Amino acid sequence: GTGRRRPEVRWRRTHGDAAELARLQGRLVDAALTRVRPGGHVTYAVCTWTATETVAVTRALLGRWGDAVQVVEEVQRWPHRDDTDGMYHATFHRRL
């Protein structure tokens, strides 16, 4: 979420950083879903707008969990459109 207030951060990050963070984030969401009871919800939220760390993490998670998990809400906020920091969240419902 600091990208809007500190745009120079983009010069300190590489494409590989996003991929590494996405792997970690995927593991964290998987761990949370294993701990929530069936019928429960987990929200994955990140202060970024990169597809690698947002929709790609969500799609990979759905691929791993299959019918056991579904997305009940997914929101992407953009600095230029929403007058806010770039952020994303997806709420998952654990069905099984």
Side-chain angles (χ1 to χ4, degrees), residues 35-48:
R35 286 162 178 79
V36 71
R37 65 176 172 75
H41 293 83
V42 169
T43 296
Y44 167 63
V46 289
C47 294
T48 186

Side-chain angles (χ1 to χ4, degrees), residues 4 6-7 12 15 18 42 45 62 72 75 79 84 88 93-94:
R4 190 169 107 156
R6 295 183 44 207
R12 294 192 313 243
H15 181 69
V42 169
L62 292 173
V72 294
V75 176
T84 185
Y88 170 89
H93 171 73
R94 181 166 174 194

Side-chain angles (χ1 to χ4, degrees), residues 8-93:
E8 76 279 1
V9 73
R10 79 180 100 185
W11 306 118
R12 294 192 313 243
R13 299 289 177 222
T14 68
H15 181 69
D17 292 340
E20 183 178 335
L21 288 168
R23 284 189 293 276
L24 172 61
Q25 292 156 352
R27 289 194 310 268
L28 291 169
V29 179
D30 280 332
L33 283 168
T34 63
R35 286 162 178 79
V36 71
R37 65 176 172 75
H41 293 83
V42 169
T43 296
Y44 167 63
V46 289
C47 294
T48 186
W49 56 82
T50 66
T52 303
E53 293 179 81
T54 58
V55 295
V57 170
T58 295
R59 300 302 169 259
L61 183 132
L62 292 173
R64 289 190 301 276
W65 283 80
D67 291 337
V69 170
Q70 71 183 73
V71 175
V72 294
E73 182 178 41
E74 186 174 20
V75 176
Q76 175 73 63
R77 301 275 186 227
W78 299 96
H80 66 282
R81 185 187 72 196
D82 300 310
D83 194 32
T84 185
D85 291 332
M87 60 186 77
Y88 170 89
H89 80 266
T91 300
F92 302 98
H93 171 73

